[in-house]
Structures are given as structure tokens and as C-alpha cells.
Amino acid sequence: MFRSRSWFGSGGLWKPKNPHSLEHLKYLYNVLSKNQTVSENNRSLLVETLRSIAEILIWGDQNDSTVFDFFLEKNMLSFFLKIMKQKCGSYVCVQLLQTLNILFENIRNETSLYYLLSNNHVNSIIVHKFDFSDEEVMAYYISFLKTLSLKLNSHTIHFFYNEHTHDFPLYTEAIKFFNNSESMVRIAVRTLTLNVYRIHDKSMLKFIRDKTAAPYFSNLVWFIGNHVYELNGCIRDNAEHEVRIKLADIVAEHLDHLHYLNDILCLEIDDLNQVLTEHLLQRLFIPLYVTSLGKGAMDARSKTPKVSSILSLFLLSQVFLIMTHAPLVRLLANILINGNESIFQFKPEVTPPKLRLSSISTMEMDNSEESSSNLSNENITLEDTSGGINHKNDVESMQEDRISCSSAEATIDKLKAIEELYFQTNPNVTDLTQRIILSSIFESMDTTENDYAPLFTLCLLHALYDNSGIDAELLNTFFHGGIVNLDPESERTSRRAYNDQLVDRLIAIICLGVKYESKVRVITLQLLSSLLLRLAIKDPPTSVLDDAHLALIEGAREENILLLQNYYKTDEMFLEVFEDEYLEMSAAKPLSIEHLMMDSNLLLPPVGSPLTGIAFDKRLPCGEVERSRRSIRVYFLLRKLSLTLRKESEKYLPLTNPQNCVHIDENLDLTNSDMLSCVVITRDNVRTRRFLVVDVFQLILVDPSNKQMGWGVVKFVGFLQDIEVLGDKDDSRCLHITVKTSPTNQRSSQSKTPLLAAKFLFDDQIRCMAAKQRLMKGKQKARQGKLHLIAKLLDLTGSSPSPQLNLRRPNRNII
């Protein structure tokens, strides 16, 4: 009489109460079956159905394998394709892509993943012609591709790459967006390509090298070149610090590109590395970065536009700081050190009239002799994706745009040819007559006007010194000199201890840097000091700097001391500034060249206004106060440099050594010490009885010890130099004492609130007056003692400085 109820239970007409069940998936399948044509009436229903399907499949992946069995049995991914092929609008497309992204991102079971990839529906979805003018569709599509790339391994790669048809849509479709206007899309593409390159599948990597490596790397290099020209224009046209945000974005983008290129090279895929190295050297580094350094950079014979030498030094510094691929950095470093004037006639194999971001639809900039090689018709074409993608699937289009790669042997031969043609073979690096690039680098260290170029030159030299990929012999030859005859009467030769021409230029910067109106920034002197120590100090720590160079450094230091003597005599706050600058430099982190080269503000001409927000050590001083601060910092740098070169240790700084001070919770022997009993009343009206002790440099509050008679436990300490004492008009027994945060504590806590602000109530007026007198005299003596020590350091007394005073009196024994 009645039909079986199983039709209703498993057929899916009625929505089950449990959303996480096979029955619910059957119900959703029924919904999709009856709504295969998208209309205005069922859009919302389809969107909710797609969302629910992803949720059930993720649950089934972890709890019930029959869920995936049913999904695959009914080929439900085909519904996704049918919906996409209709003009369903972005609302449904976005939900489809979001569902797929969530599904593949959350699946953990490998078997379930294989089931989803077993048919070719995923690849069909990848090549579907979405409306990429919709930013939301674009975002979810790229996110979907990146999620798929995260699932790649030696097993799943075969679901995406077809070895027989040479088809790899996941990769070839993604790289079409390498120059998309959205930075997040570009980042996703770079991530995807790295995920692909990490898969060790010979057939797939061969496909990438033979069919896509050259066009992709070529376009990528030109895209980076466009950023460089944009960066150059930004520096040239906006020298007044008006577009710092834009400049920072471009520099960050360029850094991302270099890190991406280095990530590819670090994968050590020889075939890809050879192609990428060739493109970088012949299409970017040599024709743009290197040739922009020398006098011939704007030679009329050179058709390739150049950039400023400042930017060239900045870019090369970043290259050597980030990239360590030996074949690349060795050749590039060799060009910088040994390159002759022929480098300015260098012509890349293909030189387009100008770099363009638009119309990269075909590889026309690569239609050179390479493109005449015989390749199959499956070559990929990259297209402008700023407004959308136009796919070319017909054979004729691919024949027009095809490009071939050089063989590995041909690539190596080209690099050797560069070395033979453009290198100076004379081993003596002190001979700059034929080393035009090195000569230009040395000339850029001139600080007569400012340190705009020398700053980046020093960064480049540091980057070369630290790069592990460069041949050690080449670095030793450059930094530690060429060949010199030590004995004129014999033919025996030996290496110099260091490159004296380089050291001459470094010391010349120091000599200009100590002048009153010097345009050399503190950061430049820090870089210089670090490099000079690298050249002059050997292992074990022994200075090889000759007496003439050491005398020049000492002369510059004396000139700096003479300048400081004037500030010492005229500036009432000299002591506070002196201590603050010392603690500022002592607490600073070690100088990081890589971090420094991330600062886009350095690309703009040096300024002196603090309103720019640029750190003090990276700009010029503004006014006498900042000139005094700068001179003090230069003094500390040169003092440390001098002591290191002379193998001496620092004995007199800081002026107040925390190790010799009294600290909280220490036990002090207060026998025969002058103490005053008082009640300390804080702002919270908390009353505490303490004993006040005035030391040589410190105010100390102690509590009697319960363990030993005559001993006290320190409860508070503050420097006398930092106290303020005021009387109370209403009560002659009271003093208002404020202990400001000392520079040492301020550096550690970053707090400007006083250490102590309280009312001190003494037993009578006499003791109150005695306490005030001791505190004021102690403060004055503490300042005078430190100023006297500074005077000795600045040679104002005619005698050498004496060691620091021990702040603890002899009768105070710490237990």
C-alpha cells in the first residue's frame, strides 16, 4: 500500500536534521541535480549548497569514508564545471572557488585527495575562462591555485602534469599573472612556482626548462627592470621626500623579487639555475646595474637607458646581500673588481626599445636567434594580466610566440665568453687604469659634498666581503691587496696585508667626518669603522695597519676632541648628553647591513630636519645641539676604533659603571656611616620608615637588617645626578624628593616616569636641613666628578684619565 521509506531517506528529497552525514550529502546532490541551470531564483540556493558540500566533505575526510565514495560515484565535481560554464555571475563563481579552496585546504587524507584529483575536473576548472576583471574572482582563483600547489608532491604531481601531452595547466596558467597589478596575486604566483620547482620530477622539470623557463624568466627580468626604472624616476623627480611611502613600496617589491630569485637558485636545480643566471646577468645585472656605475654609463653609444650610480650601488648591495649562488655572484663580483672598459659596450642578446609592463602577451622581446630553434607546438605564452587573460590555444599562435632555451653547455660558454671579453687579467688590483668599474666604485667614495654615494659604496663592500658564494681568492686579492715586491733587491713577492688604496679612501672619509660642518652621517662612519677593522685586524686579533694610516686616524680623533672641548666648555647639559649618547650607542643592536639596505629613506639625498622622522644616525644634524650629539658619537666610534687597532681595552667608560654601584636587596655594612631616619610618604599616601644614606654617586634608602646588627638591606637606589629636592612650605621637617629615570634605566624600561616621587618626613627641622644639604652637595660633587673624568678623556687637564672611582666606600662590605 505504501512505498518503501528508503526512497525518502536516501534519495535526498527531505533535508536531514544532521548536516554532517551521508544522507545530507545525498540531499545536496539532489538539489544540484535539479538546479543545473543557474537563474536568478536559485543563485542563493546554489551558493548555500556549494558551501554545505565543502563542509560535509571535510567532515567525511576525517570521519566517514563513504562520504567521498558517494561524491566520486556521482561525479559531483562535474556539476561545478557545468555551473561555471554558464554565465552564472561573480556571486556563484566566487562561492565555487571558495568551496574548492576550503575543500583542498582542509583535506588531510591522501586517499580522499587522490579521489578528488583522479579525474581531470580540477585541471578543467584551472583553465576555465573566468572573468578576472572582478577582483574577488581573481583573488579566490589565485588562492585556489596556491592551495593546490601546496598539495604537490612526487605522487600528486602526475595529476597536474601530463607527461605525454606536455600539459601543466596549474603552472602555466599561474605564471600568466606574474605581473598582475595586485601585489598579493604576484606573491601567490611566486609561492606557487617555488612549490612546483621543489618537486623532484625530471620530466616535469624538463618541461619547465624547455617550454616555460626562458619566457617566464625573461619576462620576470624585464618586469624587475621596470621597477628599477620606476625607482630611479621616483628618486630623481622627488628629491624632497614627498613620496616616501611610494618609494618604500617599490624598494620592498624589489627586495621580494631578489629573495624570490634567490629561493629559486637555492633549490639547486642546475638546468633552471643556468637559464636564470644567464637572463639575470645578460639582461639585468650587467646592462643595467653594472654599466650604470662608470663614467661611460651615459655613453651615446649605449642604447640601453641607465639609472643613477647611487641607485646602482644600492641595487648591487642588495644583490650581494641576498644572493649567494656561486656561478652568479662570482661572475658579477669579478666584473666589479676586474671589469674593463669594454663592459660599457656590453649588449644583451635582445634589447627592446624600452621596458614595458603592458603588451607582454607574447614573447616578442625574446624573438631573437633563440626563438628560431625547433620546438614543439606546446610552448606557453605569457600575457598581460592587468585587465584579463586572452588564451591562445591554436597552433599558429603558439608557433608565433615560441621560444627556446639555450642548452646547458651553451649557457656556460656564454658566461665564459663574458669573463674572457670583459675582464682585466692583470692580477694587481691596485692598478685601476684598466679596471673602470672598480675605479668608479673608488671614486664614489668621495665625501667632499656629502656621503650620499659613499654610504652605498660601503654597503656594497660589506656585502661583497660577507657573500659566501664569491671565490675567497678573489676577495683576498681585492680586500687584502695585490702583488707587491717586499725586497727591491730580490724577485721575491708577497701579498700586501691590505688594500692600501681602499684604506686611503676610508681614512679620507674619517678625516672629513670629524669637521664641524661635515656632511658625513654617523651611520656612514659606523660602516666605515666596521670595514676598516675587517681589513686591518687578523686572527689572532692583531692589527696590520701601518703607522702612517694609524697616525692619520689618531689625527682625526684629536681633531674631533678639539671640537668636543668647545662643547664641553659652553654646554651646561654636556654631561647628560655625553652619558645619554654613550648609552644609546652601547644599547644599540649590532649594525645589520641587510636591514640597513631595506631602508628606502637612504635613497633620497641626505637631509637634516628631524621632522622627516628619519633616525638621527641616518640624517645630518640640525642645530648646535644635534651637532654636539653627532660629535660625541663620532668620538665614541673613533675611540673604539683606536683602542681596537692599538690592542687596548676600554678602562674609563661608561662614566658610571653599574657593576660598581649599590643595588636593591644588597646587604651593606653601615657601621660609622652617616644615616638619617625618615618616613617616606608616596603619592598613594603609603608611609614607610627608612634610613637615608648619601653615597658618592647614589641616594640609598635602607631598612635595618634582622640578621646582623649594624647592617642594612637596600630598598631603593637612585643617582644623585638625577634628583630634584624641594622644601615644604607648610612643614619645615619635610622634603619633596624626585628621582628621575637615569639614562641606564630609561634604556632598559623605556619609561620616562620618575623612579621615585615622594615626601620625606624627618624627625625635626635640623635633620631635614642636613638631609637637603647632603643631597645638594652630593649632586654637585657627583656631576663635578663625572665632568672631571670627561675633561681628562678630552685632554683638557693635560694628564691621562684615571680609572673609575669605586662608588662603594671601604667600610661597606657586601655579603
Side-chain angles (χ1 to χ4, degrees):
M1 181 176 180
F2 296 102
R3 293 183 180 180
S4 172
R5 294 179 61 184
S6 64
W7 186 83
F8 294 94
S10 60
L13 286 179
W14 306 107
K15 185 176 181 180
K17 293 182 179 180
N18 184 7
H20 298 151
S21 62
L22 177 60
E23 286 71 23
H24 191 60
L25 181 60
K26 293 178 179 179
Y27 164 76
L28 296 175
Y29 167 72
N30 213 8
V31 173
L32 286 180
S33 300
K34 294 185 177 182
N35 294 273
Q36 298 187 39
T37 302
V38 183
S39 64
E40 290 294 333
N41 297 327
N42 63 5
R43 285 178 189 269
S44 298
L45 177 63
L46 285 173
V47 167
E48 179 60 26
T49 302
L50 293 171
R51 187 197 63 78
S52 299
I53 288 174
E55 185 178 342
I56 295 173
L57 289 177
I58 294 170
W59 174 84
D61 175 57
Q62 302 173 7
N63 298 278
D64 188 355
S65 61
T66 60
V67 169
F68 261 94
D69 295 340
F70 180 83
F71 182 83
L72 296 171
E73 178 187 347
K74 298 301 182 180
N75 197 14
M76 293 181 69
L77 270 181
S78 62
F79 288 104
F80 290 25
L81 278 171
K82 290 177 182 178
I83 294 173
M84 282 191 299
K85 290 178 180 179
Q86 304 175 48
K87 294 182 179 180
C88 56
S90 62
Y91 180 52
V92 178
C93 270
V94 166
Q95 184 58 54
L96 262 171
L97 292 170
Q98 188 178 16
T99 298
L100 290 168
N101 192 32
I102 293 173
L103 180 60
F104 281 96
E105 187 174 6
N106 290 278
I107 284 181
R108 298 291 180 263
N109 189 291
E110 288 191 3
T111 306
S112 301
L113 179 63
Y114 296 160
Y115 283 161
L116 283 175
L117 299 174
S118 58
N119 52 41
N120 206 36
H121 290 321
V122 172
N123 287 326
S124 299
I125 293 172
I126 292 173
V127 298
H128 177 73
K129 296 181 180 180
F130 291 96
D131 179 15
F132 293 118
S133 61
D134 189 306
E135 293 182 358
E136 198 171 8
V137 172
M138 165 71 75
Y140 279 109
Y141 177 76
I142 289 296
S143 180
F144 172 55
L145 296 188
K146 187 178 76 169
T147 300
L148 290 176
S149 72
L150 295 173
K151 299 296 181 180
L152 288 177
N153 55 46
S154 58
H155 301 293
T156 58
I157 187 65
H158 302 292
F159 292 109
F160 297 97
Y161 170 62
N162 190 323
E163 183 177 355
H164 301 289
T165 61
H166 297 291
D167 187 25
F168 195 1
L170 175 63
Y171 177 76
T172 56
E173 294 299 317
I175 61 176
K176 294 176 182 178
F177 297 93
F178 81 101
N179 67 338
N180 190 269
S181 58
E182 290 292 330
S183 62
M184 294 304 296
V185 174
R186 298 194 298 270
I187 293 172
V189 171
R190 294 198 288 264
T191 302
L192 184 147
T193 55
L194 289 173
N195 291 335
V196 170
Y197 298 153
R198 289 190 179 100
I199 308 303
H200 297 287
D201 186 272
K202 292 183 179 180
S203 177
M204 181 270 293
L205 291 175
K206 186 177 185 301
F207 163 79
I208 290 176
R209 187 197 190 284
D210 294 342
K211 301 301 190 296
T212 67
Y216 175 57
F217 290 151
S218 178
N219 278 272
L220 183 61
V221 165
W222 285 119
F223 185 61
I224 296 173
N226 271 283
H227 272 82
V228 172
Y229 285 123
E230 186 179 1
L231 186 59
N232 188 63
C234 190
I235 297 171
R236 183 185 63 247
D237 301 331
N238 299 277
E240 300 299 326
H241 293 258
E242 295 176 354
V243 288
R244 289 168 57 189
I245 296 178
K246 179 182 178 182
L247 185 64
D249 291 340
I250 300 174
V251 170
E253 181 78 9
H254 186 264
L255 282 170
D256 287 344
H257 286 145
L258 291 182
H259 281 290
Y260 170 60
L261 295 173
N262 186 59
D263 288 340
I264 297 175
L265 294 170
C266 288
L267 293 175
E268 298 182 352
I269 305 171
D270 292 339
D271 289 345
L272 287 183
N273 285 0
Q274 289 163 0
V275 177
L276 181 56
T277 298
E278 180 185 349
H279 278 79
L280 287 173
L281 286 172
Q282 297 200 21
R283 299 169 187 262
L284 185 65
F285 291 163
I286 297 177
L288 185 57
Y289 291 14
V290 174
T291 59
S292 295
L293 282 177
K295 297 178 181 179
M298 303 307 294
D299 197 318
R301 293 172 294 178
S302 177
K303 297 181 180 180
T304 304
K306 306 301 178 189
V307 297
S308 70
S309 59
I310 302 289
L311 180 57
S312 176
L313 290 167
F314 175 78
L315 296 172
L316 286 169
S317 299
Q318 289 185 331
V319 169
F320 285 108
L321 284 170
I322 295 172
M323 294 187 170
T324 56
H325 182 57
L328 174 64
V329 294
R330 284 179 183 177
L331 182 58
L332 190 58
N334 219 341
I335 291 174
L336 294 181
I337 296 173
N338 295 318
N340 56 36
E341 61 182 3
S342 301
I343 200 70
F344 292 105
Q345 281 77 51
F346 177 86
K347 294 181 180 180
E349 292 188 6
V350 181
T351 307
K354 62 178 180 178
L355 298 176
R356 297 175 298 168
L357 284 175
S358 59
S359 303
I360 314 182
S361 59
T362 65
M363 305 280 57
E364 56 190 10
M365 71 283 290
D366 292 316
N367 270 336
S368 63
E369 296 178 358
E370 292 180 358
S371 61
S372 61
S373 302
N374 294 324
L375 287 179
S376 59
N377 296 330
E378 291 83 6
N379 289 295
I380 189 67
T381 62
L382 302 185
E383 307 194 10
D384 179 27
T385 56
S386 58
I389 296 180
N390 296 320
H391 296 268
K392 292 188 176 182
N393 295 323
D394 57 292
V395 175
E396 293 181 358
S397 296
M398 287 187 289
Q399 286 177 336
E400 292 174 0
D401 301 328
R402 67 185 178 179
I403 185 169
S404 72
C405 264
S406 317
S407 65
E409 293 79 8
T411 301
I412 295 174
D413 291 342
K414 290 176 184 177
L415 298 182
K416 288 182 177 179
I418 293 175
E419 184 173 357
E420 293 174 359
L421 182 61
Y422 300 116
F423 284 3
Q424 173 57 239
T425 56
N426 183 358
N428 186 4
V429 295
T430 59
D431 181 9
L432 301 180
T433 55
Q434 298 299 322
R435 289 178 167 80
I436 189 68
I437 300 296
L438 185 58
S439 176
S440 299
I441 291 175
F442 277 6
E443 289 177 5
S444 67
M445 298 176 71
D446 181 16
T447 55
T448 304
E449 296 183 4
N450 53 44
D451 65 344
Y452 195 11
L455 172 64
F456 295 115
T457 304
L458 291 170
C459 289
L460 175 59
L461 294 175
H462 273 284
L464 286 169
Y465 199 100
D466 290 329
N467 194 296
S468 59
I470 302 177
D471 183 58
E473 181 65 23
L474 176 64
L475 293 179
N476 287 332
T477 302
F478 172 60
F479 286 108
H480 301 293
I483 304 298
V484 60
N485 192 349
L486 297 180
D487 186 357
E489 298 180 0
S490 68
E491 297 180 357
R492 184 174 59 87
T493 60
S494 176
R495 291 196 179 280
R496 297 177 186 269
Y498 53 84
N499 189 325
D500 54 354
Q501 290 193 13
L502 176 58
V503 172
D504 285 341
R505 286 166 170 79
L506 295 179
I507 295 179
I509 297 176
I510 293 178
C511 294
L512 287 175
V514 298
K515 304 292 184 183
Y516 172 72
E517 295 184 350
S518 172
K519 301 297 184 182
V520 180
R521 290 166 286 183
V522 174
I523 190 67
T524 303
L525 292 175
Q526 285 181 298
L527 291 169
L528 185 152
S529 175
S530 175
L531 182 61
L532 191 57
L533 289 175
R534 285 180 156 193
L535 298 178
I537 301 297
K538 301 296 181 183
D539 293 327
T542 302
S543 173
V544 295
L545 200 68
D546 60 37
D547 293 340
H549 285 146
L550 185 59
L552 289 173
I553 294 175
E554 291 298 324
R557 194 170 76 88
E558 291 175 2
E559 186 174 352
N560 171 252
I561 289 175
L562 290 175
L563 184 59
L564 278 183
Q565 289 175 355
N566 294 327
Y567 289 120
Y568 174 86
K569 296 174 182 178
T570 58
D571 189 354
E572 294 182 357
M573 296 294 294
F574 186 82
L575 170 60
E576 285 73 18
V577 176
F578 189 89
E579 283 195 301
D580 188 66
E581 292 304 320
Y582 179 81
L583 293 167
E584 173 92 22
M585 298 187 69
S586 300
K589 296 180 180 179
L591 184 62
S592 170
I593 310 299
E594 187 170 358
H595 186 267
L596 183 66
M597 285 293 94
M598 295 170 63
D599 190 351
S600 59
N601 292 320
L602 296 176
L603 281 172
L604 298 176
V607 295
S609 173
L611 299 177
T612 58
I614 299 174
F616 176 66
D617 59 345
K618 297 179 183 178
R619 61 175 174 85
L620 299 174
C622 178
E624 283 301 311
V625 174
E626 290 197 345
R627 284 196 180 93
S628 172
R629 290 180 58 197
R630 179 193 176 277
S631 297
I632 292 172
R633 291 199 181 193
V634 173
Y635 169 79
F636 291 134
L637 284 172
L638 295 184
R639 179 175 176 83
K640 182 179 180 181
L641 175 64
S642 175
L643 290 174
T644 305
L645 292 175
R646 291 186 282 118
K647 296 185 291 183
E648 297 179 6
S649 58
E650 179 61 76
K651 300 178 181 178
Y652 311 110
L653 292 174
L655 299 177
T656 302
N657 192 337
Q659 295 180 355
N660 295 332
C661 295
V662 176
H663 299 282
I664 294 177
D665 293 332
E666 287 187 3
N667 292 324
L668 299 180
D669 182 3
L670 300 176
T671 305
N672 298 324
S673 297
D674 293 329
M675 297 180 292
L676 292 172
S677 176
C678 62
V679 177
V680 181
I681 306 173
T682 64
R683 291 179 178 178
D684 300 331
N685 203 27
V686 177
R687 304 167 70 94
T688 308
R689 178 162 291 277
R690 293 284 185 261
F691 286 89
L692 174 65
V693 180
V694 179
D695 199 359
V696 179
F697 286 105
Q698 290 177 289
L699 175 154
I700 306 172
L701 295 179
V702 299
D703 194 26
S705 174
N706 296 326
K707 298 179 179 180
Q708 280 186 291
M709 182 69 67
W711 289 71
V713 180
V714 179
K715 296 300 181 181
F716 175 83
V717 289
F719 288 104
L720 293 173
Q721 177 185 336
D722 303 321
I723 67 170
E724 291 181 358
V725 183
L726 295 175
D728 193 315
K729 297 179 181 179
D730 300 326
D731 191 344
S732 60
R733 298 176 303 162
C734 290
L735 290 177
H736 294 274
I737 300 177
T738 302
V739 182
K740 295 180 291 184
T741 304
S742 66
T744 305
N745 292 328
Q746 187 172 338
R747 296 292 173 202
S748 59
S749 65
Q750 298 298 318
S751 174
K752 296 183 180 180
T753 58
L755 290 177
L756 177 68
K759 179 168 36 173
F760 284 62
L761 178 62
F762 296 90
D763 295 337
D764 52 45
Q765 180 182 359
I766 300 300
R767 288 179 173 82
C768 180
M769 293 176 61
K772 183 177 181 180
Q773 186 178 24
R774 290 181 190 178
L775 289 172
M776 298 307 294
K777 285 186 177 181
K779 178 179 180 178
Q780 185 178 3
K781 288 182 178 180
R783 284 183 54 83
Q784 288 177 349
K786 290 185 177 182
L787 286 171
H788 181 66
L789 184 57
I790 293 176
K792 290 183 178 181
L793 287 170
L794 300 181
D795 298 331
L796 285 173
T797 61
S799 60
S800 59
S802 57
Q804 278 189 328
L805 295 174
N806 189 345
L807 301 188
R808 297 195 182 97
R809 295 177 182 175
N811 63 335
R812 291 186 184 166
N813 301 318
I814 300 177
I815 62 172

